[in-house]
Amino acid sequence: MKQIGILSDTHSTWDDRFATHFAHCDEIWHAGDVGCLDTLQRLRAITPVVRAVRGNIDHGPILRLCPEVLDFQVEDVKVWMTHICGYPGRYAPGVRRMLIDARPQICVGGHSHILKVMFDHELNLLHINPGAAGTHGWQRQRTLIRLKIDGSNIFDLEVIELGKLSI
């Protein structure tokens, strides 16, 4: 069994509550717009397995370290992650085709700053956008996600609210 922490759109923001909420996680997934290398290093101090994709604001070392798309397996669950993903019924151009080819059970995306967890019945996958964990953007609430994977079972998905932004 693996416990997974998921976040996106940190935009160079570090919050010590990331470490608190992800302390018992086996892996952390960052769905892009990391912002700075320090964020990835601090996440790796929580757990050595940090999987991250680059986002549209990322540059320099993040571009070299983080691919645009990650396709990987945890336990018996295939995961596909990119920053600009869209969501079921409104995927970004080309994403639906890549999902059909990859056949994941979980699709993780960021970019919108809007927390969205929904099942795509057509592609038979769980779509997760963890919202935005950073303080830059239009989100009203900063959010993280935590879930567990045991074999092919995905369960105990939690939304963690970090606080509201005044916009």
Side-chain angles (χ1 to χ4, degrees):
M1 183 178 75
K2 303 272 186 182
Q3 183 162 284
I4 312 296
I6 307 172
L7 73 167
S8 186
D9 296 279
T10 49
H11 292 262
S12 300
T13 298
W14 180 259
D15 187 321
D16 287 334
R17 291 175 294 173
F18 299 167
T20 301
H21 292 296
F22 293 160
H24 301 291
C25 289
D26 300 290
E27 296 190 14
I28 298 171
W29 305 343
H30 195 304
D33 280 359
V34 176
C36 67
L37 190 56
D38 182 61
T39 300
L40 288 180
Q41 291 168 333
R42 292 175 110 176
L43 291 172
R44 284 193 179 102
I46 302 167
T47 184
V49 180
V50 175
R51 302 177 195 261
V53 293
R54 64 180 175 238
N56 56 297
I57 66 109
D58 290 319
H59 60 280
I62 302 298
L63 285 182
R64 289 187 293 280
L65 290 171
C66 301
E68 186 176 342
V69 173
L70 274 177
D71 189 355
F72 56 96
Q73 189 154 330
V74 175
E75 298 269 325
D76 297 329
V77 174
K78 190 167 183 185
V79 181
W80 191 90
M81 182 165 62
T82 196
H83 181 61
I84 300 176
C85 183
Y87 54 90
R90 298 199 61 168
Y91 287 114
V95 168
R96 184 176 179 281
R97 177 80 256 161
M98 287 187 271
L99 291 171
I100 289 169
D101 292 343
R103 302 178 56 136
Q105 285 79 45
I106 297 176
C107 169
V108 180
H111 187 62
S112 70
H113 292 225
I114 299 168
L115 171 73
K116 191 172 289 227
V117 177
M118 60 192 298
F119 195 78
D120 183 332
H121 293 281
E122 180 187 350
L123 299 181
N124 196 35
L125 60 83
L126 179 63
H127 169 82
I128 299 172
N129 184 323
T135 56
H136 303 287
W138 47 87
Q139 71 277 8
R140 298 246 182 241
Q141 179 69 247
R142 297 172 53 223
T143 52
L144 308 170
I145 286 183
R146 212 169 33 204
L147 59 80
K148 293 177 182 165
I149 298 174
D150 190 4
S152 61
N153 297 315
I154 304 159
F155 61 102
D156 285 353
L157 189 144
E158 306 171 76
V159 172
I160 300 159
E161 294 183 343
L162 298 174
K164 295 185 186 260
L165 287 180
S166 55
I167 297 177

